[in-house]
Amino acid sequence: MKYSQEQIIELKRKAIQIRANILEMIPPGKVGHLGGSSSIADVMAALYFHTMEVNPSDPKDPKRDRLIMSKGHAVLVQYACLVELGYFGREELAKVKTLEGMLQGHPDMDKTPGIEAVTGSLGQGLSVALGLALGLRLDKLPNRVYAIVGDGEQAEGQIWEAVMAAHGFKANNLTAIVDFNGLQATSTTKEIFPIENLVGKWSSFGWNVIEIDGHDMVQILDALEEAKAFTEGPSVILAHTVKGKCFPFAEGKAKYHNASMTEEEYKEAWVCIENLKREVEA
Amino acid sequence: MRTSDSLRKTYGETLVELGKDNKSIVMLEADLGNSTMSSLFGSAYPERYFQMGIAEQNMASVAAGLSLAGKIPFINSFAVFARGRAYDQIRSSVAIAKLNVKICGSSAGLSDYGDGKTHQSIDDIALMQVLPNMTVLSPCDAIETEKMTKAMVECNGPVYLRINRNDLSLVTDPKADYKIGQMTEMVKGKDVVVFATGVMVQQSIQAAKILEKEGISLRVVNVSTIKPLDVTALQSYCEGVKGIVTAEEHSIFGGLGSAVCSALSMKRLPIEVLGIQDSFGTSAENYSILLKHYGLESEDVAKKVRAVLSAN
């Protein structure tokens, strides 16, 4: 086995803590993107606590890897990672989306240490990540760039402009990760827009496609390693996920794309966290 | 060193010259490099030239990423596409983030005379100046284009440069210092001041000659930085005049005229705005036919000057 049992358990602990941090940001009555943040939480744990080079004491460290949250509405999960790494204090979590807080509703590099770009208008982050990858390559730097894109976001034409361009430029320092949770703001992706056969779509555009269960930590780590090792061009990880993962009342429901929880749901969510903690320690 | 009176060729050549020492400069092109003249840079430094294909939205966001990696990216296309097709990318990826991305809107105004309304950019100043953090430049000749291109590299932040496809007569002083934000008095006068930009500077200088014969003294000011607008300079050039005219090869909505009217709203002086009325462009045999068709000739400037004087 490439990873020790202890490493996997530690990453699972991080993923639980990330989900707990997300809850902390959206107490009952406060609207937030619970669904799309929790679906990608395991991948984010692997990236920030295993795969990526990060330096919280110097957020602009030139040696760092970059992560662009193209599905910017799920920035809560990125804040949840950054706070855990110490990019900013925990007191910021309660101030998310407030006038005095540094945590904006969508990623803003000017306001929040550790955020690398401005995203939120969907379809643009993969292109920004490509630009970063090309710039780093011009300087012969080894750093990698990761872009998290949504499955609903696949409807944006610009995604496919970037997909074609990245292949053309053989951007092998770029990895895209599709949070394939099957749901978007108002319904299933299937019902909203035909994005079927994503494997065929991306691979026919010249990308190295890796399909995984986006909640299986070993599969996630393997996929990220495989993407790194593939040098002929860019790689995409199609991560099959569950929107609202780990919160049964929210799992697979479009409603929790951007909603507020009731007092009862919020209590239930914390019970889920406690159960997960017990499971992982057992 | 400038070799012609062409704004776009001067732009391309200046970047080749600057790119020699400044390795951070990179160029992105959407398959119009022979028109925008970005191809000159591509020939000189192929490793720093990114052919992005006819995909302007991706081009603008990729430029944002290159800027995040410390580069100084210039994106190139016809003005309609560079800032219109990629508007939200410029707004979100570039302007909100205050990134050091330079946008060259080539063949601006009516200067792409044959291609017609889809290709004629008469609303680019409006779209770009409404964006916070954006600097908007509109040179009137090749001399000014060379100075502006150099200044764009020196300043940190997003800049939109609107340049004309056609050669324009040289009117600015090659020896004068230049900095972004300045406006320049081209003709001294005392009765009326015209604030002009782009090709309308030349037309206004001609208008001053027409009006001189009628005993009217016209002050002509070249406003080549639309944003940030130097309101203090604007006000000082209004001292002693009886009226104000603005002149631009752009819609009367959201361009130089709008900016000047907002800035001088407390002046209580009559203002006439000369520009393209609420309409799109059209194809024509040549550029001067279009300037005549849309009322953007020196005589049209003169008429506006007479109009503000008669309002007194």
Side-chain angles (χ1 to χ4, degrees):
Chain A
M1 200 169 168
K2 277 190 259 175
Y3 325 99
S4 70
Q5 188 69 9
E6 189 47 42
Q7 268 181 311
I8 299 295
I9 288 173
E10 185 53 29
L11 286 174
K12 286 183 176 175
R13 283 191 195 114
K14 291 293 184 198
I16 296 167
Q17 186 57 44
I18 287 167
R19 289 189 171 90
N21 291 348
I22 293 169
L23 288 184
E24 211 174 313
M25 283 181 266
I26 43 173
K30 188 157 179 173
V31 172
H33 290 87
L34 176 68
S37 294
S38 45
S39 60
I40 198 67
D42 300 299
V43 170
M44 293 291 281
L47 281 166
Y48 271 108
F49 297 94
H50 182 86
T51 304
M52 290 204 314
E53 285 289 334
V54 291
N55 183 0
S57 62
D58 179 9
K60 297 283 176 200
D61 187 341
K63 289 200 283 292
R64 74 198 188 280
D65 290 330
R66 316 301 209 270
L67 186 145
I68 305 294
M69 185 59 95
S70 191
K71 46 171 279 184
H73 53 274
V75 71
L76 293 187
V77 70
Q78 196 172 10
Y79 296 154
C81 295
L82 295 174
V83 74
E84 215 48 40
L85 287 161
Y87 281 85
F88 45 81
R90 291 198 75 80
E91 70 282 0
E92 287 297 330
L93 297 185
K95 290 190 278 180
V96 68
K97 296 202 282 185
T98 63
L99 196 56
E100 72 269 30
M102 61 158 67
L103 307 181
Q104 295 280 297
H106 285 85
D108 185 342
M109 52 180 278
D110 264 357
K111 295 259 185 184
T112 315
I115 297 290
E116 299 282 1
V118 168
T119 52
S121 179
L122 292 173
Q124 300 183 21
L126 184 60
S127 305
V128 174
L130 172 60
L132 254 170
L134 295 176
L136 293 168
R137 187 167 76 182
L138 264 186
D139 290 338
K140 300 186 168 45
L141 293 169
N143 321 67
R144 297 193 63 78
V145 185
Y146 296 90
I148 308 286
V149 289
D151 52 359
E153 194 180 5
Q154 306 293 300
E156 292 279 9
Q158 190 185 346
I159 289 282
W160 302 99
E161 293 184 2
V163 168
M164 285 185 273
H167 163 62
F169 289 116
K170 295 188 167 48
N172 61 7
N173 52 348
L174 172 66
T175 303
I177 299 154
V178 179
D179 183 8
F180 203 166
N181 62 31
L183 284 168
Q184 46 197 101
T186 58
S187 185
T188 60
T189 48
K190 208 173 176 179
E191 202 174 274
I192 301 286
F193 199 78
I195 56 148
E196 68 269 31
N197 191 17
L198 277 188
V199 175
K201 283 188 168 80
W202 284 76
S203 58
S204 70
F205 279 49
W207 283 56
N208 175 41
V209 181
I210 309 162
E211 202 175 7
I212 60 162
D213 174 349
H215 300 303
D216 182 315
M217 197 53 79
V218 175
Q219 284 191 37
I220 296 168
L221 295 177
D222 280 345
L224 290 168
E225 287 305 314
E226 187 189 328
K228 232 189 224 182
F230 185 78
T231 55
E232 287 164 45
S235 294
V236 59
I237 299 169
L238 293 179
H240 290 274
T241 58
V242 175
K243 200 154 177 167
K245 177 72 178 176
C246 294
F247 306 113
F249 62 88
E251 281 188 2
K253 292 190 186 132
K255 180 188 158 193
Y256 293 89
H257 172 80
N258 188 23
S260 62
M261 283 174 272
T262 62
E263 293 281 354
E264 292 70 31
E265 285 168 339
Y266 196 61
K267 270 182 210 150
E268 190 186 328
W270 280 110
V271 172
C272 297
I273 294 288
E274 291 311 313
N275 290 342
L276 287 169
K277 280 183 182 169
R278 268 196 298 276
E279 274 170 40
V280 84
E281 299 310 330
Chain B
M1 204 52 207
R2 192 175 56 79
T3 64
S4 77
D5 294 353
S6 159
L7 283 73
R8 54 188 172 132
K9 191 166 176 221
T10 300
Y11 162 79
E13 287 175 347
T14 305
L15 279 166
V16 170
E17 184 188 326
L18 296 170
K20 193 173 173 223
D21 292 326
N22 190 336
K23 308 282 189 221
S24 295
I25 299 172
V26 297
M27 290 277 259
L28 297 88
E29 177 55 63
D31 195 25
L32 289 169
N34 295 338
S35 294
T36 65
M37 296 292 172
S38 75
S39 58
L40 298 172
F41 193 92
S43 302
Y45 318 109
E47 72 288 354
R48 283 187 275 145
Y49 187 68
F50 297 96
Q51 176 55 261
M52 303 307 295
I54 311 162
E56 296 82 4
Q57 302 172 39
N58 183 54
M59 175 168 73
S61 297
V62 165
L66 281 160
S67 143
L68 289 168
K71 304 300 169 195
I72 307 172
F74 279 73
I75 67 177
N76 297 275
S77 185
F78 285 180
V80 271
F81 310 127
R83 55 74 205 173
R85 187 60 177 255
Y87 183 71
D88 186 45
Q89 287 72 17
I90 292 170
R91 180 182 185 277
S92 292
S93 298
V94 175
I96 294 177
K98 306 189 190 89
L99 293 180
N100 198 18
V101 172
K102 316 302 179 187
I103 304 144
C104 180
S106 210
S107 295
L110 301 163
S111 68
D112 188 10
Y113 52 83
D115 282 331
K117 58 194 77 175
T118 52
H119 285 55
Q120 291 161 353
S121 185
I122 46 117
D123 52 353
D124 52 330
I125 294 175
L127 279 176
M128 289 295 101
Q129 75 164 337
V130 77
L131 292 174
N133 306 326
M134 185 64 72
T135 294
V136 180
L137 304 180
S138 167
C140 69
D141 67 8
I143 297 166
E144 200 169 39
T145 303
E146 182 181 9
K147 293 176 185 174
M148 273 183 180
T149 307
K150 289 178 178 170
M152 284 169 83
V153 171
E154 294 304 315
C155 86
N156 186 22
V159 182
Y160 176 70
L161 174 73
R162 137 189 254 250
I163 54 177
N164 197 295
R165 186 180 182 87
N166 301 288
D167 292 7
L168 298 175
S169 58
L170 300 178
V171 288
T172 63
D173 178 1
K175 294 191 197 75
D177 289 337
Y178 173 80
K179 66 174 196 306
I180 289 172
Q182 75 177 35
M183 55 184 77
T184 315
E185 188 174 37
M186 308 297 290
V187 178
K188 289 188 192 307
K190 58 181 175 40
D191 296 329
V192 173
V193 58
V194 55
F195 294 109
T197 195
V199 67
M200 295 313 293
V201 173
Q202 281 86 339
Q203 300 293 342
S204 298
I205 292 168
Q206 286 302 316
K209 288 175 187 160
I210 295 169
L211 291 164
E212 196 179 7
K213 290 175 193 149
E214 300 169 21
I216 299 169
S217 168
L218 179 65
R219 172 182 287 162
V220 178
V221 177
N222 171 18
V223 185
S224 56
T225 300
I226 311 286
K227 190 186 181 186
L229 194 61
D230 184 346
V231 177
T232 310
L234 202 65
Q235 287 174 335
S236 71
Y237 283 125
C238 294
E239 290 306 318
V241 300
K242 299 181 192 77
I244 302 159
V245 173
T246 67
E248 64 200 299
E249 184 195 8
H250 183 275
S251 168
I252 54 166
F253 298 116
L256 173 65
S258 295
V260 169
C261 286
S262 298
L264 300 180
S265 60
M266 297 303 285
K267 271 281 172 188
R268 306 286 181 256
L269 276 170
I271 302 186
E272 285 278 340
V273 174
L274 178 63
I276 296 166
Q277 298 301 310
D278 192 17
S279 76
F280 290 110
T282 187
S283 289
E285 299 88 320
N286 62 47
Y287 184 43
S288 42
I289 289 176
L290 277 182
L291 291 181
K292 185 180 178 62
H293 180 75
Y294 286 100
L296 298 173
E297 293 186 303
S298 50
E299 180 51 35
D300 301 296
V301 179
K303 275 184 200 156
K304 289 288 189 193
V305 172
R306 292 181 203 115
V308 289
L309 281 174
S310 67
N312 277 275

